[in-house]
């Protein structure tokens, strides 16, 4: 499965979770699998922001920290982006 399809699948699970159609442990399983698949890829700032969102929405924010520390990812996230400048 490619990265876009995997990301879409995780977002569908989040939507189902928000509607009450999926239990929290199922969402956590999907997010953990997504982190497992993406850990070896080159990531940009948008990817890191999305991963922070995923980790926080399912209640496991430490997964993002594990991605950085155990798999040598450097997430220098700049908090100044186009949204900041436009406001």
């Amino acid at each position: 499965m490619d990265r876009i399809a995997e990301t879409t699948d995780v977002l569908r699970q989040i939507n189902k979770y928000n509607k009450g159609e999926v239990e929290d442990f199922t969402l956590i399983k999907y997010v953990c699998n997504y982190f497992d698949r993406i850990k070896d890829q080159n990531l940009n700032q948008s990817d890191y922001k999305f991963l922070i969102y995923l980790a926080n929405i399912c209640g496991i924010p430490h997964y993002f920290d594990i991605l950085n520390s155990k798999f040598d990812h450097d997430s220098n996230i700049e908090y100044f982006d186009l949204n900041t400048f436009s406001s």
Side-chain angles (χ1 to χ4, degrees):
M1 190 179 287
D2 67 335
R3 185 172 170 184
I4 294 172
E6 291 173 1
T7 304
T8 304
D9 191 34
V10 168
L11 290 174
R12 284 184 183 141
Q13 295 303 316
I14 289 173
N15 288 335
K16 287 181 180 179
Y17 174 74
N18 289 336
K19 292 178 184 176
E21 298 173 3
V22 172
E23 296 291 330
D24 54 352
F25 59 86
T26 305
L27 177 65
I28 291 171
K29 181 181 80 168
Y30 275 93
V31 170
C32 291
N33 288 337
Y34 184 76
F35 267 82
D36 190 42
R37 290 185 195 112
I38 204 167
K39 69 183 176 195
D40 296 327
Q41 297 183 8
N42 292 330
L43 303 173
N44 60 28
Q45 286 191 16
S46 298
D47 295 328
Y48 286 122
K49 288 180 181 180
F50 180 67
L51 290 174
I52 288 172
Y53 168 76
L54 284 180
N56 287 332
I57 197 97
C58 71
I60 48 172
H62 58 280
Y63 264 47
F64 183 77
D65 297 331
I66 292 171
L67 179 74
N68 289 327
S69 62
K70 299 292 182 193
F71 298 105
D72 297 327
H73 283 272
D74 185 25
S75 63
N76 292 327
I77 298 175
E78 295 177 11
Y79 291 99
F80 299 104
D81 55 7
L82 291 178
N83 293 329
T84 305
F85 292 124
S86 68
S87 64

